[in-house]
Amino acid sequence: MKNAIDGNGDLLRQVGAFTATVLVVSNMVGTGIFTTSGFIMEELGDPVILLLCWLCGGIFALCGALCYGELGAKFPRAGGEYVFLRESFGKMMGFLSGWISLIVGFSAPIAAAAIAFATYFYSALGLDAAWEMPLTVFGFQAATLSMVNITAVAVIILFSLLHYHSVTTGSRIQNMLTISNFALILFFIIAGFAFGDGSAQNFRGQGGLSAFSPEPFAASLIFVFFAYSGWNASAYLGGEIKAPQRNIPLSLTVGTLAVTGLYLLLNAVFVYSMPVDQMAGAIDVGAKSAEFLFGKGVSRYLSIAVALGILSAVSAMIMTGPRIYYAMSRDGVFFTRLARVNPERRTPACSIVLQAAIACFMVITASFDALLTYIGFTLSIFAMLTVIGMIRIRKIRPELSGIYRTIGYPFTPLFFIAGHLWIIYYMIQSRPIGVIFGLATILAGIFVYLGFAFKDRLKALFPGQ
């Protein structure tokens, strides 16, 4: 390991194909799958359309993974979308992508996942978490302290310290959490169908495909896209993955396919376990499903498995996000301190600390529901722009042919772009508050970029100052 260090403070290529794939899986399998299916059923009202919605989300995610695989093979550096958009549309668009990743792509989902973990944790142990203390500023409630929030903050700090310690330690913990979580979910699926007290009659629903309606389907895809987010995880560690031209596309594709299959089976178990009216609107759909299948006592064990899965997602996002801020800082478009790599640990220490601080702030100031809409709209815009950028790079830089090219091109990127445009359109119509906050974050990013650009211009004019 040591002989790979070049002495320039760079990140090292020490992440193999297996860990990269595990990182994709653990970024995806987290909060969304265990909290959204009840809301989706409430929107759609039919189990067949529910499963179709999850399949459609998986196809979109796979199309994105195939496109990002080509970009990752062309530009195997730390930063993911920041690097891709910088290369396709210039520095400002790259910066905005990194800015969004810092606020929306990682800090906000880390906060949401940590809150979900704490909620399931107290439920699984049967502990009372009702205590709350509002914090007011000039008569307005600015934040809330509660047992759930305090636990969520503690989890963020703990895993930030673990990933600060070393990439090797973080990777081992990540692999252990993800494999355990995947095994527990597979066991639940198999046991649910083999021994659970469910009914195939629950799949009959309210009319099947004849009940399909575009508006509720599009609204449901917002939740599904959130559950599938993370399919691009290994692209952010392009500077640390061994044989990146092979392993980045491989990890993105295999990880996304594995999670799509898992999600479809898990939703099929949810449907098998209870009638539509019982599933509709249930936020703890996993625990409720276990109660129907095996009785109330067993649902506690599933809550433990869910909490473990969410913990895996928290860890994966804490590991992935700082590589973006590190890359931005190395390019001189963000705070220079964030480019520092701990000389002993070889980790982007300052970036990890910044991300943890923002996530902890969001835990005590924002609600879970508000975070979901805010995340969905903003990330959809930049994922779509990144894939548009891939098409542009093919035209303006044909010399970057690479060893991997997107399967199904041009249908694959066009399908991905069209799907996200559809979702963004319906989100603007149905959830304008989240859209406004997303646009405000992008506008703030533009001002921050202009501030750094003005600072650089002053330095050029007065180099001695």
Side-chain angles (χ1 to χ4, degrees):
M1 187 76 69
K2 288 183 179 178
N3 59 13
I5 298 174
D6 61 10
N8 295 322
D10 291 334
L11 301 173
L12 306 180
R13 293 199 181 277
Q14 51 189 325
V15 177
F18 178 76
T19 297
T21 303
V22 165
L23 190 65
V24 173
V25 172
S26 53
N27 264 272
M28 295 174 75
V29 181
T31 315
I33 185 60
F34 298 113
T35 56
T36 59
S37 287
F39 297 123
I40 296 169
M41 183 64 87
E42 190 172 34
E43 286 277 354
L44 301 177
D46 187 90
V48 174
I49 301 178
L50 171 85
L51 294 173
L52 179 64
C53 190
W54 281 99
L55 176 61
C56 187
I59 293 171
F60 278 124
L62 180 60
C63 288
L66 292 171
C67 294
Y68 273 57
E70 178 173 329
L71 289 166
K74 291 181 190 297
F75 308 105
R77 308 165 199 162
E81 286 159 348
Y82 162 69
V83 174
F84 306 153
L85 283 169
R86 184 194 65 199
E87 295 293 335
S88 58
F89 292 114
K91 286 185 177 180
M92 182 173 179
M93 189 62 74
F95 174 86
L96 287 176
S97 171
W99 170 261
I100 291 301
S101 291
L102 172 62
I103 307 297
V104 186
F106 288 95
S107 297
I110 287 168
I115 292 169
F117 164 78
T119 303
Y120 267 97
F121 175 77
Y122 282 107
S123 173
L125 298 182
L127 299 175
D128 182 14
W131 177 81
E132 286 188 357
M133 184 177 75
L135 301 176
T136 58
V137 177
F138 301 114
F140 295 97
Q141 184 172 331
T144 303
L145 285 182
S146 67
M147 293 302 297
V148 168
N149 288 355
I150 292 170
T151 304
V153 167
V155 165
I156 293 168
I157 293 172
L158 172 63
F159 277 90
S160 296
L161 290 173
L162 288 171
H163 287 291
Y164 166 87
H165 182 269
S166 75
V167 173
T168 303
T169 301
S171 296
R172 287 173 180 169
I173 292 170
Q174 191 61 59
N175 291 350
M176 179 188 68
L177 282 171
T178 304
I179 292 168
S180 301
N181 178 47
F182 208 86
L184 283 168
I185 293 173
L186 282 177
F187 176 78
F188 172 68
I189 291 168
I190 294 168
F193 282 124
F195 310 110
D197 186 19
S199 174
Q201 296 295 320
N202 294 335
F203 287 92
R204 293 185 180 276
Q206 308 294 321
L209 293 177
S210 62
F212 177 85
S213 178
E215 291 190 18
F217 194 83
S220 299
L221 278 174
I222 296 170
F223 295 109
V224 171
F225 279 10
F226 172 75
Y228 275 106
S229 62
W231 50 263
N232 53 357
S234 62
Y236 294 105
L237 274 76
E240 295 166 272
I241 293 177
K242 302 173 186 176
Q245 283 79 11
R246 173 186 178 272
N247 289 335
I248 292 176
L250 180 66
S251 60
L252 291 172
T253 304
V254 173
T256 303
L257 283 171
V259 172
T260 300
L262 188 74
Y263 279 5
L264 289 171
L265 288 170
L266 196 52
N267 275 282
V269 171
F270 292 161
V271 172
Y272 177 72
S273 67
M274 56 185 144
V276 170
D277 62 329
Q278 292 293 322
M279 185 176 174
I283 188 171
D284 56 343
V285 65
K288 195 168 184 178
S289 174
E291 186 176 335
F292 271 91
L293 288 170
F294 308 113
K296 196 165 186 178
V298 177
S299 66
R300 176 174 293 185
Y301 296 103
L302 182 69
S303 291
I304 294 172
V306 171
L308 185 66
I310 295 172
L311 202 63
S312 173
V314 171
S315 173
M317 288 185 286
I318 287 173
M319 180 181 182
T320 306
R323 274 66 188 176
I324 305 168
Y325 332 135
Y326 162 84
M328 293 169 66
S329 199
R330 288 279 298 219
D331 288 347
V333 297
F334 211 29
F335 300 108
T336 55
R337 184 178 293 270
L338 299 182
R340 294 183 184 176
V341 173
N342 186 293
E344 296 178 1
R345 307 296 182 185
R346 309 299 290 184
T347 55
C350 293
S351 292
I352 293 172
V353 171
L354 174 64
Q355 178 181 262
I358 295 173
C360 289
F361 175 78
M362 287 186 170
V363 165
I364 63 171
T365 57
S367 69
F368 183 81
D369 293 344
L371 284 172
L372 291 194
T373 305
Y374 174 55
I375 293 165
F377 170 76
T378 318
L379 293 189
S380 288
I381 289 177
F382 282 89
M384 181 182 67
L385 288 173
T386 302
V387 173
I388 293 172
M390 185 205 74
I391 298 172
R392 187 168 190 269
I393 285 172
R394 277 204 178 194
K395 292 182 178 180
I396 64 174
R397 302 182 67 178
E399 74 279 5
L400 295 173
S401 57
I403 60 172
Y404 168 81
R405 292 174 73 83
T406 302
I407 298 169
Y409 187 92
F411 170 78
T412 303
L414 292 177
F415 181 75
F416 183 85
I417 293 164
H420 278 273
L421 282 173
W422 188 36
I423 297 304
I424 289 168
Y425 170 74
Y426 277 104
M427 208 177 291
I428 291 171
Q429 282 193 325
S430 61
R431 289 167 171 80
I433 300 299
V435 170
I436 289 169
F437 276 103
L439 293 174
T441 305
I442 295 170
L443 183 62
I446 293 172
F447 283 115
V448 172
Y449 174 81
L450 293 175
F452 277 103
F454 180 71
K455 182 180 176 182
D456 289 341
R457 187 168 295 180
L458 285 179
K459 283 184 178 180
L461 290 173
F462 307 102
Q465 300 298 314

